[in-house]
């Protein structure tokens, strides 16, 4: 519920609407209706879905598409509630508001997607609840039986007490939580926080891993490729980038500054929303614009007089992504990518990692894919970070989100990993499989112990002191076996 509330809070809570007489009025998002016109300033989040009537800008639409690169928009294009207008004011004709928006639909999908409680925990709880009546009944039967056999009330009472002590459910009750706590501690040292102990059980059952791309397999920040750009052009590029508010310009600024480039002295810089930034340098026209016919690739075009350089951007993979995917495969899980990013971008990342990938996947389609896999008998692990991954994370058999993920995704996920490395996800899969092996061993020992101990106590071969020692020993064995999981995450 907290994740759903956080998701809905991402919508703009107020909007400025244009009235028929030309005046404006500030209203709450709940008052918006289809057909109204709202004015969206740069930096504001949209409060409703609609179509742009006037203005050009760039919007951060990662909430719905997972695309890290801002999307340039102009007249006639659709925009959605929760998207952030980055560059210039736009006028939007509302097509859907309140509970009919795309982000409200995502919230409903998250609300409908649920996760079940641990099967092993349910077994242990049920067994523990049955212990009290069963054990007291056995003790009573032992007392009555030995009295009938002529042992006397003292001897009969001693045997009954031994039965009560030796059949303490501690070993059964510790079988699951002891293993989960130790394994969770081991994973925490490796940078992964397990929010729910039962997640380890479901993670051990997972047989397919589904990854989002941006911010999950990649670091989520565009990186400029500058090797082909002439040295004399780089200071001009930096000066132009510093004059722009576009996110790609900020990425270009980071890359050039990291190389020690100093900005050139440009004059008359002017940024035109939807087109780029223009200026004069040494009497020549220079510009930093979006290239024409880029085929969906993320790039910018630097022009100095008649010279031109196309500067592509890529979203860098996490440094150990390939190793992590290989480790997950070794654990028996197939991996695939489903992302809202462009097909060409997703295909490139998938090829680099040696797995399959699908792009342009909406939040609803991601959820449908998870449900399809479950219908086929699969138990999917979902790893994602964006608001658009929320429903899929909630519906998956088990889910993990990076520490840089939206708060919605972190709340929907069963575990969260931190840092730039993806290996904690692979280690979590391995540790979960080892944990469930230890849990089954603990259950097996607890059952075997009771099968042997109870008959011995019933037949009078165990004193209350020995029974107490045996009961304590059984608990110590379970705990000691669980402590082997301190090295599970390796």
């Amino acid at each position: 519920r907290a994740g759903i509330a956080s998701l809905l809070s991402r919508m703009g809570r107020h909007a400025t609407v244009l009235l028929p007489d030309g005046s404006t009025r500030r209203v709450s998002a709940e008052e918006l209706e289809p057909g109204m016109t709202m004015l969206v300033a740069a930096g504001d989040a949209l409060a409703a879905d609609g179509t742009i009537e006037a203005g050009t800008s760039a919007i951060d639409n990662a909430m719905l598409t997972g695309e890290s690169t801002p999307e340039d928009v102009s007249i006639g294009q659709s925009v959605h509630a929760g998207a952030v207008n980055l560059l210039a004011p736009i006028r939007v004709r509302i097509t859907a508001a309140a509970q009919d928006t795309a982000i409200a639909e995502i919230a409903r999908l998250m609300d409908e997607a649920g996760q079940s409680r641990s099967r092993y925990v349910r077994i242990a709880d049920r067994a523990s609840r049955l212990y009290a009546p069963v054990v007291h009944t056995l003790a009573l039967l032992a007392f009555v039986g030995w009295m009938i056999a002529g042992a006397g009330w003292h001897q009969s009472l001693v045997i009954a007490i031994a039965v009560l002590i030796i059949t303490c459910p501690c070993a059964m009750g510790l079988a699951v939580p002891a293993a989960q706590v130790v394994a969770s501690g081991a994973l925490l040292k490796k940078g992964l926080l397990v929010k729910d102990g039962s997640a380890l059980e479901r993670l051990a059952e997972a047989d397919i891993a589904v990854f989002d791309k941006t911010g999950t397999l990649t670091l989520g920040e565009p990186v400029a490729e500058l090797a082909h750009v002439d040295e004399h052009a780089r200071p001009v590029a930096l000066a132009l980038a510093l004059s722009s508010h576009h996110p790609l310009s900020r990425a270009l600024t980071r890359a050039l500054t990291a190389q020690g480039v100093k900005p050139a002295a440009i004059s008359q810089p002017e940024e035109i929303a939807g087109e780029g930034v223009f200026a004069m340098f040494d009497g020549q026209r220079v510009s930093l614009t979006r290239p024409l016919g880029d085929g969906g690739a993320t790039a910018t075009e630097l022009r100095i007089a008649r010279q031109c350089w196309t500067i592509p951007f890529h979203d860098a993979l996490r440094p150990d992504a390939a190793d992590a995917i290989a480790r997950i495969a070794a654990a028996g899980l197939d991996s695939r990518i489903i992302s809202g990013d462009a097909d060409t971008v997703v295909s490139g990342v998938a090829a680099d990692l040696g797995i399959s990938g699908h792009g342009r996947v909406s939040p609803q389609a991601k959820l449908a894919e998870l449900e399809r896999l479950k219908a086929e008998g699969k138990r999917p692990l979902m790893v994602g970070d964006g608001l658009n991954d929320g429903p899929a994370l909630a519906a998956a058999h088990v889910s993990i989100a990076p520490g840089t993920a939206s708060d919605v995704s972190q709340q929907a996920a069963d575990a969260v990993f931190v840092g730039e490395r993806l290996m904690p996800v692979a280690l979590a899969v391995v540790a979960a499989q080892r944990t469930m092996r230890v849990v089954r061993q603990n259950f097996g020992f607890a059952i075997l112990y009771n099968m042997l101990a109870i008959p011995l106590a019933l037949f009078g071969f165990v004193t209350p002191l020995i029974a107490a020692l045996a009961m304590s020993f059984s608990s110590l064995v379970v705990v000691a076996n669980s402590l082997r999981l301190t090295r599970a995450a390796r």
Side-chain angles (χ1 to χ4, degrees):
R1 293 290 178 178
I4 294 170
S6 178
L7 176 57
L8 291 174
S9 70
R10 296 304 179 97
M11 295 174 58
R13 303 313 306 155
H14 296 83
T16 300
V17 296
L18 182 65
L19 301 178
D21 61 2
S23 62
T24 60
R25 181 164 63 94
R26 189 76 169 167
V27 301
S28 67
E30 290 75 16
E31 297 178 73
L32 296 175
E33 296 178 359
M36 288 183 171
T37 299
M38 61 180 179
L39 305 178
V40 186
D44 283 355
L46 276 72
D49 294 356
T51 303
I52 297 178
E53 283 192 333
T56 58
S57 185
I59 62 170
D60 180 355
N61 209 27
M63 168 199 65
L64 291 175
T65 66
E67 187 82 56
S68 61
T69 304
E71 178 184 353
D72 291 330
V73 292
S74 57
I75 296 173
Q77 290 186 256
S78 297
V79 289
H80 298 282
V84 179
N85 181 24
L86 297 176
L87 296 182
I90 53 176
R91 192 172 72 200
V92 177
R93 172 74 66 173
I94 297 174
T95 57
Q99 295 305 309
D100 296 325
T101 60
I103 195 170
E105 175 63 19
I106 294 176
R108 280 194 291 273
L109 293 173
M110 288 185 64
D111 194 26
E112 293 168 0
Q115 300 182 26
S116 60
R117 195 175 176 221
S118 165
R119 177 165 56 92
Y120 282 94
V121 170
R122 292 198 304 271
I123 292 172
D125 288 348
R126 191 178 300 117
S128 297
R129 285 195 300 269
L130 292 174
Y131 253 76
V134 170
V135 168
H136 283 84
T137 300
L138 284 175
L140 178 60
L141 291 175
F143 178 80
V144 172
W146 280 97
M147 285 292 290
I148 294 173
W153 70 269
H154 181 268
Q155 181 66 18
S156 299
L157 185 60
V158 168
I159 293 173
I161 291 172
V163 171
L164 282 173
I165 295 174
I166 208 166
T167 54
C168 177
C170 295
M172 184 71 73
L174 288 170
V176 181
Q180 290 178 345
V181 167
V182 175
S184 297
L187 286 170
L188 185 60
K189 293 178 181 178
K190 296 294 185 178
L192 185 136
L193 170 64
V194 179
K195 296 162 54 180
D196 177 8
S198 68
L200 291 174
E201 175 194 332
R202 286 179 276 117
L203 187 55
E205 296 171 343
D207 51 16
I208 185 170
V210 179
F211 290 88
D212 178 46
K213 184 192 77 69
T214 305
T216 303
L217 291 172
T218 67
L219 295 174
E221 294 183 355
V223 178
E225 299 176 15
L226 298 165
H228 64 293
V229 180
D230 293 351
E231 293 292 335
H232 76 274
R234 297 185 185 188
V236 177
L238 178 56
L240 289 168
L242 288 170
S243 303
S244 170
H245 298 289
H246 198 283
L248 289 184
S249 295
R250 293 198 294 268
L252 182 57
T253 297
R254 287 196 300 270
L256 291 168
T257 302
Q259 295 180 358
V261 176
K262 302 297 181 183
I266 60 174
S267 61
Q268 304 174 29
E270 178 187 14
E271 183 174 18
I272 301 176
E275 296 185 28
V277 59
F278 304 85
M280 298 298 294
F281 172 69
D282 283 348
Q284 298 175 322
R285 184 74 165 171
V286 295
S287 63
L288 197 61
T289 61
R290 181 178 181 178
L292 297 176
D294 58 3
T298 303
T300 189
E301 190 172 85
L302 170 65
R303 285 187 175 274
I304 301 177
R306 296 182 179 180
Q307 291 183 293
C308 177
W309 297 265
T310 298
I311 304 174
F313 293 80
H314 70 277
D315 190 1
L317 281 171
R318 291 181 181 269
D320 62 343
D323 292 337
I325 294 296
R327 186 74 183 273
I328 291 172
L333 279 69
D334 293 328
S335 295
R336 65 182 60 175
I337 304 172
I338 54 172
S339 171
D341 285 7
D343 278 318
T344 53
V345 177
V346 174
S347 297
V349 172
D352 290 340
L353 297 175
I355 58 179
S356 62
H358 302 282
R360 295 297 182 194
V361 184
S362 68
Q364 293 83 351
K366 285 188 179 185
L367 177 59
E369 176 66 11
L370 267 293
E371 296 293 354
R372 184 187 68 79
L373 290 173
K374 291 165 69 175
E376 293 177 354
K378 299 288 187 180
R379 293 173 175 175
L381 158 65
M382 177 68 195
V383 187
D385 74 312
L387 295 177
N388 59 317
D389 296 317
L393 289 168
H397 190 65
V398 63
S399 55
I400 301 175
T404 54
S406 66
D407 50 0
V408 174
S409 297
Q410 291 190 37
Q411 289 164 359
D414 297 298
V416 176
F417 69 95
V418 297
E420 293 187 351
R421 300 179 65 80
L422 188 66
M423 190 57 71
V425 175
L427 294 179
V429 173
V430 174
Q433 294 175 347
R434 292 172 177 169
T435 299
M436 296 322 298
R437 284 197 293 268
V438 168
V439 166
R440 288 189 286 270
Q441 292 168 5
N442 288 347
F443 269 120
F445 171 78
I447 294 171
L448 180 62
Y449 161 78
N450 283 289
M451 289 177 62
L452 295 176
I454 292 174
L456 291 175
L458 286 172
F459 286 103
F461 295 117
V462 178
T463 66
L465 176 60
I466 295 175
L469 293 173
M471 182 271 293
S472 300
F473 175 75
S474 67
S475 299
L476 289 173
V477 169
V478 168
V479 172
N481 190 46
S482 299
L483 287 174
R484 294 191 300 119
L485 292 170
T486 54
R487 303 180 66 191
R490 59 186 178 89

